[in-house]
Amino acid sequence: EDQVTQSPEALRLQEGESSSLNCSYTVSGLRGLFWYRQDPGKGPEFLFTLYSAGEEKEKERLKATLTKKESFLHITAPKPEDSATYLCAVQAMEYGNKLVFGAGTILRVKS
Amino acid sequence: DGGITQSPKYLFRKEGQNVTLSCEQNLNHDAMYWYRQDPGQGLRLIYYSQIVNDFQKGDIAEGYSVSREKKESFPLTVTSAQKNPTAFYLCASSIDGGVGTEAFFGQGTRLTVV
């Protein structure tokens, strides 16, 4: 059973059309949830860390939120340059300090 | 500029050959990691090291080896025992590998078996 599941697998948006990406997890003892952005052929770029339910963080058009079983990455009025794969990862007591990654959501924003 | 440098960007391996991927960081981070990325799958941990001269196996260590002789360097060798080595390899580092510390990634090496 996958411990970290991201949905949808792919998302196409028109420029300016806001939406949300989901990351659900089944691990126990969450120590941190991380969001990354990855451009094709490049390494992931760190975006946010969330530690506890109810926490929110924002950066430009992106806002990450966390509940007890899932995290959302909200994208407000996206632009074509927001097109990328968005990865989430969790760090949990049952895995020590290792990060467990989801498969990612591929976002395409068309102008 | 501080960062993580992986080389080469592209690498081709013949059957039965060992190849070594380089990873260097100048962030003064204690912890370093190697991940493998395959299409449609999450990043999977190969090896990690939290201190010089010490490293641990990750989830998919078979067919790989590492060394950590210097704080700034963590090379990965893909041996002939790795039966399906074609993948995108990512090196990362974090300040101490502790709870809640984010990892920063290099730009990756794409390995192809020919």
Short mmCIF file of all heavy atoms in Angstrom, two decimals, chain B residues 1-59:
data_model
loop_
_atom_site.label_atom_id
_atom_site.label_comp_id
_atom_site.label_asym_id
_atom_site.label_seq_id
_atom_site.Cartn_x
_atom_site.Cartn_y
_atom_site.Cartn_z
N ASP B 1 28.43 30.73 -5.26
CA ASP B 1 27.07 30.33 -4.88
C ASP B 1 27.10 28.94 -4.26
O ASP B 1 27.78 28.05 -4.77
CB ASP B 1 26.15 30.30 -6.10
CG ASP B 1 25.77 31.71 -6.54
OD1 ASP B 1 25.86 32.61 -5.69
OD2 ASP B 1 25.40 31.88 -7.69
N GLY B 2 26.35 28.75 -3.15
CA GLY B 2 26.28 27.44 -2.55
C GLY B 2 25.33 26.55 -3.31
O GLY B 2 24.33 27.01 -3.85
N GLY B 3 25.65 25.24 -3.34
CA GLY B 3 24.75 24.35 -4.03
C GLY B 3 25.29 22.95 -4.10
O GLY B 3 26.29 22.60 -3.47
N ILE B 4 24.57 22.13 -4.86
CA ILE B 4 24.92 20.72 -5.04
C ILE B 4 25.20 20.51 -6.53
O ILE B 4 24.36 20.86 -7.37
CB ILE B 4 23.77 19.81 -4.59
CG1 ILE B 4 23.45 20.08 -3.12
CG2 ILE B 4 24.14 18.35 -4.80
CD1 ILE B 4 22.19 19.40 -2.65
N THR B 5 26.35 19.94 -6.82
CA THR B 5 26.75 19.73 -8.21
C THR B 5 26.83 18.25 -8.50
O THR B 5 27.57 17.52 -7.81
CB THR B 5 28.12 20.38 -8.49
OG1 THR B 5 28.04 21.77 -8.21
CG2 THR B 5 28.51 20.18 -9.95
N GLN B 6 26.08 17.81 -9.50
CA GLN B 6 26.14 16.42 -9.94
C GLN B 6 26.79 16.37 -11.32
O GLN B 6 26.53 17.21 -12.17
CB GLN B 6 24.74 15.81 -10.03
CG GLN B 6 24.08 15.60 -8.69
CD GLN B 6 22.79 14.82 -8.83
OE1 GLN B 6 21.72 15.30 -8.48
NE2 GLN B 6 22.89 13.59 -9.32
N SER B 7 27.62 15.36 -11.51
CA SER B 7 28.21 15.18 -12.84
C SER B 7 28.43 13.70 -13.10
O SER B 7 28.63 12.92 -12.16
CB SER B 7 29.54 15.95 -12.94
OG SER B 7 30.47 15.45 -12.01
N PRO B 8 28.38 13.29 -14.38
CA PRO B 8 27.98 14.12 -15.51
C PRO B 8 26.46 14.28 -15.55
O PRO B 8 25.74 13.65 -14.78
CB PRO B 8 28.49 13.32 -16.70
CG PRO B 8 28.35 11.89 -16.25
CD PRO B 8 28.68 11.90 -14.79
N LYS B 9 25.97 15.08 -16.47
CA LYS B 9 24.53 15.25 -16.62
C LYS B 9 23.92 14.03 -17.32
O LYS B 9 22.83 13.59 -17.00
CB LYS B 9 24.23 16.51 -17.42
CG LYS B 9 22.75 16.84 -17.48
CD LYS B 9 22.53 18.21 -18.07
CE LYS B 9 21.04 18.54 -18.05
NZ LYS B 9 20.76 19.91 -18.53
N TYR B 10 24.66 13.48 -18.29
CA TYR B 10 24.23 12.28 -19.00
C TYR B 10 25.37 11.25 -18.95
O TYR B 10 26.54 11.61 -19.08
CB TYR B 10 23.91 12.57 -20.48
CG TYR B 10 22.81 13.58 -20.66
CD1 TYR B 10 23.09 14.92 -20.90
CD2 TYR B 10 21.47 13.18 -20.60
CE1 TYR B 10 22.06 15.84 -21.07
CE2 TYR B 10 20.45 14.10 -20.77
CZ TYR B 10 20.76 15.42 -21.00
OH TYR B 10 19.74 16.34 -21.16
N LEU B 11 24.99 9.98 -18.78
CA LEU B 11 25.98 8.92 -18.67
C LEU B 11 25.44 7.67 -19.35
O LEU B 11 24.28 7.31 -19.16
CB LEU B 11 26.28 8.62 -17.19
CG LEU B 11 27.40 7.65 -16.84
CD1 LEU B 11 28.72 8.12 -17.45
CD2 LEU B 11 27.52 7.54 -15.34
N PHE B 12 26.30 7.03 -20.13
CA PHE B 12 25.90 5.82 -20.83
C PHE B 12 26.76 4.68 -20.34
O PHE B 12 27.98 4.79 -20.24
CB PHE B 12 26.06 6.01 -22.35
CG PHE B 12 25.18 7.10 -22.88
CD1 PHE B 12 25.63 8.41 -22.95
CD2 PHE B 12 23.88 6.82 -23.28
CE1 PHE B 12 24.82 9.43 -23.42
CE2 PHE B 12 23.05 7.83 -23.75
CZ PHE B 12 23.51 9.14 -23.81
N ARG B 13 26.09 3.57 -20.05
CA ARG B 13 26.81 2.42 -19.49
C ARG B 13 26.60 1.20 -20.36
O ARG B 13 25.48 0.94 -20.82
CB ARG B 13 26.28 2.11 -18.09
CG ARG B 13 27.10 1.08 -17.31
CD ARG B 13 26.37 0.60 -16.07
NE ARG B 13 25.70 -0.68 -16.32
CZ ARG B 13 25.27 -1.49 -15.36
NH1 ARG B 13 25.39 -1.12 -14.10
NH2 ARG B 13 24.67 -2.61 -15.66
N LYS B 14 27.68 0.48 -20.59
CA LYS B 14 27.55 -0.78 -21.31
C LYS B 14 27.21 -1.89 -20.32
O LYS B 14 27.50 -1.78 -19.12
CB LYS B 14 28.86 -1.11 -22.04
CG LYS B 14 29.19 -0.15 -23.17
CD LYS B 14 30.47 -0.57 -23.86
CE LYS B 14 30.80 0.38 -24.99
NZ LYS B 14 32.06 -0.01 -25.68
N GLU B 15 26.65 -2.95 -20.84
CA GLU B 15 26.33 -4.10 -20.00
C GLU B 15 27.59 -4.59 -19.28
O GLU B 15 28.66 -4.69 -19.89
CB GLU B 15 25.77 -5.24 -20.87
CG GLU B 15 24.46 -4.93 -21.56
CD GLU B 15 23.26 -5.10 -20.65
OE1 GLU B 15 23.43 -5.57 -19.52
OE2 GLU B 15 22.15 -4.73 -21.07
N GLY B 16 27.46 -4.87 -17.97
CA GLY B 16 28.59 -5.42 -17.23
C GLY B 16 29.58 -4.41 -16.72
O GLY B 16 30.59 -4.76 -16.10
N GLN B 17 29.32 -3.13 -16.97
CA GLN B 17 30.26 -2.09 -16.58
C GLN B 17 29.83 -1.43 -15.27
O GLN B 17 28.64 -1.28 -15.02
CB GLN B 17 30.25 -1.02 -17.69
CG GLN B 17 31.55 -0.38 -17.99
CD GLN B 17 31.41 0.60 -19.16
OE1 GLN B 17 30.38 1.19 -19.41
NE2 GLN B 17 32.50 0.76 -19.87
N ASN B 18 30.81 -1.06 -14.46
CA ASN B 18 30.52 -0.21 -13.30
C ASN B 18 30.69 1.25 -13.71
O ASN B 18 31.61 1.58 -14.47
CB ASN B 18 31.50 -0.50 -12.15
CG ASN B 18 31.31 -1.87 -11.54
OD1 ASN B 18 30.40 -2.60 -11.90
ND2 ASN B 18 32.18 -2.21 -10.62
N VAL B 19 29.84 2.12 -13.20
CA VAL B 19 30.00 3.55 -13.45
C VAL B 19 29.82 4.30 -12.14
O VAL B 19 29.07 3.85 -11.26
CB VAL B 19 28.99 4.09 -14.49
CG1 VAL B 19 29.30 3.55 -15.86
CG2 VAL B 19 27.56 3.76 -14.09
N THR B 20 30.48 5.46 -12.03
CA THR B 20 30.39 6.26 -10.81
C THR B 20 29.82 7.63 -11.11
O THR B 20 30.26 8.31 -12.03
CB THR B 20 31.78 6.41 -10.15
OG1 THR B 20 32.24 5.11 -9.77
CG2 THR B 20 31.69 7.28 -8.91
N LEU B 21 28.82 8.01 -10.32
CA LEU B 21 28.19 9.31 -10.43
C LEU B 21 28.74 10.20 -9.31
O LEU B 21 28.80 9.79 -8.16
CB LEU B 21 26.66 9.18 -10.28
CG LEU B 21 25.86 8.61 -11.44
CD1 LEU B 21 26.29 7.21 -11.83
CD2 LEU B 21 24.38 8.64 -11.09
N SER B 22 29.07 11.42 -9.69
CA SER B 22 29.68 12.34 -8.74
C SER B 22 28.63 13.25 -8.12
O SER B 22 27.69 13.68 -8.79
CB SER B 22 30.74 13.18 -9.45
OG SER B 22 31.20 14.23 -8.62
N CYS B 23 28.79 13.57 -6.83
CA CYS B 23 27.94 14.54 -6.13
C CYS B 23 28.81 15.33 -5.16
O CYS B 23 29.46 14.74 -4.28
CB CYS B 23 26.82 13.85 -5.39
SG CYS B 23 25.79 15.01 -4.46
N GLU B 24 28.85 16.64 -5.34
CA GLU B 24 29.63 17.53 -4.48
C GLU B 24 28.72 18.66 -3.97
O GLU B 24 27.93 19.20 -4.72
CB GLU B 24 30.78 18.16 -5.27
CG GLU B 24 31.73 17.16 -5.91
CD GLU B 24 32.78 16.66 -4.95
OE1 GLU B 24 33.13 17.39 -4.01
OE2 GLU B 24 33.28 15.52 -5.16
N GLN B 25 28.86 18.98 -2.66
CA GLN B 25 28.09 20.10 -2.12
C GLN B 25 29.00 21.05 -1.34
O GLN B 25 29.95 20.61 -0.70
CB GLN B 25 26.93 19.59 -1.23
CG GLN B 25 27.31 18.66 -0.11
CD GLN B 25 27.46 19.31 1.25
OE1 GLN B 25 27.28 20.53 1.41
NE2 GLN B 25 27.79 18.51 2.26
N ASN B 26 28.69 22.34 -1.43
CA ASN B 26 29.45 23.34 -0.68
C ASN B 26 28.54 24.10 0.27
O ASN B 26 28.78 25.28 0.57
CB ASN B 26 30.17 24.29 -1.64
CG ASN B 26 29.23 25.05 -2.55
OD1 ASN B 26 28.01 24.94 -2.42
ND2 ASN B 26 29.79 25.83 -3.47
N LEU B 27 27.51 23.40 0.76
CA LEU B 27 26.55 23.99 1.69
C LEU B 27 26.93 23.72 3.14
O LEU B 27 26.22 24.15 4.06
CB LEU B 27 25.15 23.42 1.42
CG LEU B 27 24.60 23.69 0.01
CD1 LEU B 27 23.38 22.82 -0.26
CD2 LEU B 27 24.28 25.16 -0.14
N ASN B 28 28.01 22.98 3.35
CA ASN B 28 28.45 22.57 4.69
C ASN B 28 27.39 21.71 5.39
O ASN B 28 27.25 21.75 6.62
CB ASN B 28 28.79 23.79 5.56
CG ASN B 28 29.68 23.40 6.74
OD1 ASN B 28 30.51 22.50 6.64
ND2 ASN B 28 29.51 24.09 7.86
N HIS B 29 26.66 20.93 4.60
CA HIS B 29 25.65 20.04 5.15
C HIS B 29 26.28 18.73 5.61
O HIS B 29 27.17 18.20 4.96
CB HIS B 29 24.58 19.74 4.09
CG HIS B 29 23.63 20.88 3.88
ND1 HIS B 29 22.66 20.84 2.89
CD2 HIS B 29 23.49 22.06 4.51
CE1 HIS B 29 21.96 21.97 2.94
NE2 HIS B 29 22.46 22.72 3.91
N ASP B 30 25.75 18.20 6.72
CA ASP B 30 26.26 16.92 7.21
C ASP B 30 25.65 15.74 6.47
O ASP B 30 26.31 14.73 6.25
CB ASP B 30 25.95 16.78 8.70
CG ASP B 30 26.86 17.64 9.56
OD1 ASP B 30 28.06 17.72 9.24
OD2 ASP B 30 26.39 18.22 10.55
N ALA B 31 24.36 15.81 6.12
CA ALA B 31 23.65 14.67 5.56
C ALA B 31 23.60 14.75 4.04
O ALA B 31 23.38 15.82 3.46
CB ALA B 31 22.24 14.59 6.12
N MET B 32 23.80 13.61 3.39
CA MET B 32 23.70 13.52 1.94
C MET B 32 22.94 12.26 1.56
O MET B 32 22.95 11.27 2.30
CB MET B 32 25.08 13.54 1.29
CG MET B 32 25.83 14.85 1.54
SD MET B 32 27.38 15.00 0.64
CE MET B 32 26.80 15.31 -1.03
N TYR B 33 22.28 12.31 0.39
CA TYR B 33 21.37 11.24 -0.03
C TYR B 33 21.51 10.99 -1.52
O TYR B 33 21.82 11.89 -2.29
CB TYR B 33 19.91 11.65 0.22
CG TYR B 33 19.61 12.22 1.58
CD1 TYR B 33 19.86 13.56 1.86
CD2 TYR B 33 19.08 11.42 2.58
CE1 TYR B 33 19.58 14.09 3.11
CE2 TYR B 33 18.80 11.95 3.83
CZ TYR B 33 19.05 13.29 4.09
OH TYR B 33 18.77 13.81 5.33
N TRP B 34 21.21 9.74 -1.91
CA TRP B 34 21.04 9.39 -3.31
C TRP B 34 19.65 8.80 -3.51
O TRP B 34 19.24 7.89 -2.78
CB TRP B 34 22.08 8.37 -3.77
CG TRP B 34 23.37 8.98 -4.18
CD1 TRP B 34 24.54 8.98 -3.50
CD2 TRP B 34 23.63 9.67 -5.41
NE1 TRP B 34 25.51 9.64 -4.22
CE2 TRP B 34 24.98 10.07 -5.39
CE3 TRP B 34 22.85 9.99 -6.53
CZ2 TRP B 34 25.58 10.77 -6.44
CZ3 TRP B 34 23.44 10.68 -7.57
CH2 TRP B 34 24.78 11.07 -7.52
N TYR B 35 18.96 9.36 -4.53
CA TYR B 35 17.63 8.87 -4.91
C TYR B 35 17.65 8.44 -6.37
O TYR B 35 18.41 8.96 -7.19
CB TYR B 35 16.57 9.97 -4.76
CG TYR B 35 16.23 10.34 -3.35
CD1 TYR B 35 16.93 11.35 -2.70
CD2 TYR B 35 15.20 9.70 -2.68
CE1 TYR B 35 16.61 11.71 -1.41
CE2 TYR B 35 14.87 10.06 -1.38
CZ TYR B 35 15.58 11.06 -0.75
OH TYR B 35 15.25 11.41 0.53
N ARG B 36 16.73 7.54 -6.67
CA ARG B 36 16.50 7.13 -8.05
C ARG B 36 15.08 7.53 -8.42
O ARG B 36 14.14 7.35 -7.61
CB ARG B 36 16.68 5.62 -8.16
CG ARG B 36 16.23 5.03 -9.47
CD ARG B 36 16.42 3.54 -9.53
NE ARG B 36 15.81 3.01 -10.74
CZ ARG B 36 16.33 2.04 -11.46
NH1 ARG B 36 17.47 1.45 -11.10
NH2 ARG B 36 15.72 1.61 -12.55
N GLN B 37 14.91 8.08 -9.64
CA GLN B 37 13.58 8.49 -10.11
C GLN B 37 13.28 7.78 -11.42
O GLN B 37 14.05 7.88 -12.38
CB GLN B 37 13.51 10.00 -10.30
CG GLN B 37 12.10 10.51 -10.62
CD GLN B 37 12.04 12.03 -10.63
OE1 GLN B 37 12.98 12.70 -11.04
NE2 GLN B 37 10.92 12.58 -10.17
N ASP B 38 12.17 7.05 -11.44
CA ASP B 38 11.67 6.38 -12.64
C ASP B 38 10.32 6.99 -13.01
O ASP B 38 9.58 7.45 -12.13
CB ASP B 38 11.51 4.88 -12.39
CG ASP B 38 12.84 4.19 -12.14
OD1 ASP B 38 13.56 3.97 -13.14
OD2 ASP B 38 13.17 3.89 -10.98
N PRO B 39 9.98 6.99 -14.30
CA PRO B 39 8.72 7.61 -14.73
C PRO B 39 7.52 7.06 -13.97
O PRO B 39 7.39 5.85 -13.81
CB PRO B 39 8.66 7.25 -16.22
CG PRO B 39 10.07 7.04 -16.62
CD PRO B 39 10.75 6.44 -15.43
N GLY B 40 6.65 7.94 -13.49
CA GLY B 40 5.42 7.53 -12.82
C GLY B 40 5.61 7.03 -11.40
O GLY B 40 4.64 6.59 -10.77
N GLN B 41 6.84 7.08 -10.90
CA GLN B 41 7.10 6.63 -9.53
C GLN B 41 7.69 7.76 -8.70
O GLN B 41 8.31 8.68 -9.23
CB GLN B 41 8.07 5.45 -9.53
CG GLN B 41 7.55 4.21 -10.21
CD GLN B 41 8.46 3.02 -9.97
OE1 GLN B 41 8.95 2.83 -8.86
NE2 GLN B 41 8.69 2.22 -10.99
N GLY B 42 7.49 7.65 -7.40
CA GLY B 42 8.14 8.61 -6.51
C GLY B 42 9.63 8.37 -6.43
O GLY B 42 10.13 7.33 -6.84
N LEU B 43 10.35 9.34 -5.89
CA LEU B 43 11.78 9.16 -5.68
C LEU B 43 11.99 8.04 -4.66
O LEU B 43 11.31 7.98 -3.63
CB LEU B 43 12.40 10.45 -5.12
CG LEU B 43 12.79 11.52 -6.12
CD1 LEU B 43 11.60 12.12 -6.83
CD2 LEU B 43 13.59 12.62 -5.41
N ARG B 44 12.95 7.17 -4.96
CA ARG B 44 13.25 6.07 -4.04
C ARG B 44 14.67 6.21 -3.51
O ARG B 44 15.60 6.45 -4.29
CB ARG B 44 13.05 4.72 -4.75
CG ARG B 44 11.58 4.43 -5.09
CD ARG B 44 11.43 3.07 -5.74
NE ARG B 44 11.98 3.04 -7.07
CZ ARG B 44 12.19 1.93 -7.78
NH1 ARG B 44 11.91 0.76 -7.24
NH2 ARG B 44 12.68 1.99 -8.99
N LEU B 45 14.83 6.00 -2.21
CA LEU B 45 16.11 6.22 -1.55
C LEU B 45 17.05 5.04 -1.76
O LEU B 45 16.69 3.90 -1.47
CB LEU B 45 15.88 6.45 -0.05
CG LEU B 45 17.10 6.78 0.79
CD1 LEU B 45 17.73 8.11 0.35
CD2 LEU B 45 16.70 6.83 2.26
N ILE B 46 18.27 5.33 -2.23
CA ILE B 46 19.26 4.29 -2.48
C ILE B 46 20.18 4.16 -1.26
O ILE B 46 20.32 3.10 -0.68
CB ILE B 46 20.09 4.60 -3.73
CG1 ILE B 46 19.18 4.79 -4.96
CG2 ILE B 46 21.09 3.49 -4.00
CD1 ILE B 46 19.94 5.29 -6.19
N TYR B 47 20.86 5.23 -0.92
CA TYR B 47 21.76 5.29 0.23
C TYR B 47 21.68 6.67 0.85
O TYR B 47 21.35 7.64 0.18
CB TYR B 47 23.22 5.04 -0.19
CG TYR B 47 23.68 3.61 -0.15
CD1 TYR B 47 23.69 2.84 -1.31
CD2 TYR B 47 24.15 3.04 1.02
CE1 TYR B 47 24.14 1.53 -1.29
CE2 TYR B 47 24.60 1.72 1.05
CZ TYR B 47 24.60 0.98 -0.11
OH TYR B 47 25.04 -0.32 -0.09
N TYR B 48 22.04 6.76 2.15
CA TYR B 48 22.17 8.06 2.77
C TYR B 48 23.30 8.03 3.79
O TYR B 48 23.68 6.96 4.29
CB TYR B 48 20.86 8.53 3.39
CG TYR B 48 20.33 7.70 4.53
CD1 TYR B 48 20.46 8.14 5.85
CD2 TYR B 48 19.66 6.50 4.29
CE1 TYR B 48 19.95 7.38 6.90
CE2 TYR B 48 19.16 5.75 5.32
CZ TYR B 48 19.29 6.19 6.62
OH TYR B 48 18.79 5.44 7.66
N SER B 49 23.80 9.23 4.08
CA SER B 49 24.91 9.38 5.01
C SER B 49 24.65 10.60 5.86
O SER B 49 24.35 11.67 5.34
CB SER B 49 26.22 9.54 4.22
OG SER B 49 27.26 9.98 5.07
N GLN B 50 24.77 10.44 7.16
CA GLN B 50 24.53 11.57 8.05
C GLN B 50 25.83 12.14 8.61
O GLN B 50 25.83 13.19 9.27
CB GLN B 50 23.59 11.17 9.19
CG GLN B 50 22.18 10.88 8.68
CD GLN B 50 21.17 10.73 9.79
OE1 GLN B 50 21.05 9.67 10.37
NE2 GLN B 50 20.44 11.78 10.09
N ILE B 51 26.95 11.44 8.34
CA ILE B 51 28.23 11.92 8.84
C ILE B 51 29.33 11.28 8.00
O ILE B 51 29.14 10.21 7.42
CB ILE B 51 28.38 11.58 10.34
CG1 ILE B 51 29.49 12.42 10.99
CG2 ILE B 51 28.58 10.11 10.54
CD1 ILE B 51 29.48 12.34 12.49
N VAL B 52 30.47 11.93 7.97
CA VAL B 52 31.61 11.40 7.21
C VAL B 52 31.97 10.00 7.70
O VAL B 52 31.88 9.71 8.90
CB VAL B 52 32.81 12.36 7.34
CG1 VAL B 52 34.06 11.77 6.69
CG2 VAL B 52 32.50 13.70 6.71
N ASN B 53 32.32 9.14 6.76
CA ASN B 53 32.75 7.76 7.03
C ASN B 53 31.63 6.87 7.57
O ASN B 53 31.91 5.82 8.16
CB ASN B 53 33.95 7.73 7.99
CG ASN B 53 35.20 8.28 7.34
OD1 ASN B 53 35.44 8.05 6.15
ND2 ASN B 53 36.00 9.00 8.11
N ASP B 54 30.39 7.29 7.37
CA ASP B 54 29.26 6.46 7.80
C ASP B 54 28.13 6.62 6.80
O ASP B 54 27.83 7.74 6.36
CB ASP B 54 28.79 6.87 9.19
CG ASP B 54 27.73 5.92 9.72
OD1 ASP B 54 27.92 4.68 9.59
OD2 ASP B 54 26.71 6.39 10.23
N PHE B 55 27.49 5.51 6.40
CA PHE B 55 26.35 5.58 5.50
C PHE B 55 25.46 4.36 5.74
O PHE B 55 25.90 3.34 6.30
CB PHE B 55 26.79 5.65 4.03
CG PHE B 55 27.82 4.62 3.63
CD1 PHE B 55 27.44 3.33 3.28
CD2 PHE B 55 29.17 4.95 3.60
CE1 PHE B 55 28.38 2.39 2.90
CE2 PHE B 55 30.12 4.02 3.21
CZ PHE B 55 29.73 2.73 2.87
N GLN B 56 24.20 4.50 5.34
CA GLN B 56 23.21 3.45 5.54
C GLN B 56 22.49 3.15 4.23
O GLN B 56 22.30 4.02 3.39
CB GLN B 56 22.16 3.86 6.58
CG GLN B 56 22.65 3.86 8.01
CD GLN B 56 23.47 5.09 8.32
OE1 GLN B 56 23.12 6.19 7.89
NE2 GLN B 56 24.55 4.91 9.05
N LYS B 57 22.05 1.90 4.09
CA LYS B 57 21.26 1.50 2.94
C LYS B 57 19.87 2.12 3.02
O LYS B 57 19.29 2.21 4.10
CB LYS B 57 21.14 -0.02 2.86
CG LYS B 57 22.45 -0.73 2.58
CD LYS B 57 22.22 -2.23 2.49
CE LYS B 57 23.54 -2.95 2.18
NZ LYS B 57 23.35 -4.42 2.08
N GLY B 58 19.38 2.51 1.85
CA GLY B 58 18.00 2.95 1.75
C GLY B 58 17.11 1.79 1.34
O GLY B 58 17.40 0.62 1.64
N ASP B 59 16.06 2.09 0.59
CA ASP B 59 15.07 1.08 0.23
C ASP B 59 15.49 0.21 -0.95
O ASP B 59 14.98 -0.90 -1.11
CB ASP B 59 13.75 1.76 -0.08
CG ASP B 59 13.24 2.56 1.10
OD1 ASP B 59 13.29 2.05 2.24
OD2 ASP B 59 12.81 3.72 0.90
#
